[in-house]
């Protein structure tokens, strides 16, 4: 099966108490293009000054856990894409 996966922004970092600025860095994506029974998210679990992007991928409603330690969200997406 050959799929084309796409990142869709769902969460940005905000610094401050208001929801008004939407210009902070993106910290979580929903992955589109998966089969109907699958869901995936990519999020940044920043460790100090280093980005640490991880993937949460469920299949047929069975929960998974956050896995991986990628330098970029695109690297995490590529790792998920390699499963197909």
């Amino acid at each position: 099966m050959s799929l084309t996966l796409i990142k869709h922004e769902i969460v940005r970092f905000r610094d401050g108490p208001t929801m008004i600025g939407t210009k902070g860095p993106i910290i979580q994506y929903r992955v589109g293009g998966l089969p109907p029974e699958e869901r995936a998210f990519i999020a940044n679990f920043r460790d100090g000054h280093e980005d640490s992007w991880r993937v949460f991928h469920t299949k047929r409603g069975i929960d998974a856990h956050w896995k991986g330690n990628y330098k970029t969200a695109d690297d995490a997406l590529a790792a998920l894409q390699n499963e197909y």
Side-chain angles (χ1 to χ4, degrees):
M1 175 186 320
S2 178
L3 301 175
T4 301
L5 304 182
I6 302 167
K7 298 181 316 218
H8 298 280
E9 168 193 331
I10 58 173
V11 178
R12 284 185 176 267
F13 180 78
R14 62 184 176 102
D15 55 352
T18 66
M19 295 295 287
I20 297 175
T22 57
K23 295 185 180 183
I26 300 167
I27 58 172
Q28 188 171 7
Y29 295 93
R30 175 182 57 81
V31 177
L34 291 164
E37 70 278 1
E38 296 185 30
R39 302 284 181 269
F41 300 90
I42 296 172
N44 192 350
F45 286 73
R46 190 175 184 105
D47 184 15
H49 296 291
E50 298 291 323
D51 286 340
S52 176
W53 291 91
R54 300 179 191 174
V55 177
F56 187 88
H57 184 201
T58 65
K59 295 180 181 181
R60 295 181 183 91
I62 298 171
D63 279 337
H65 61 277
W66 290 101
K67 65 179 183 177
N69 181 12
Y70 305 98
K71 289 186 181 216
T72 69
D74 287 335
D75 291 343
L77 184 68
L80 183 58
Q81 181 74 57
N82 285 335
E83 294 183 21
Y84 300 94

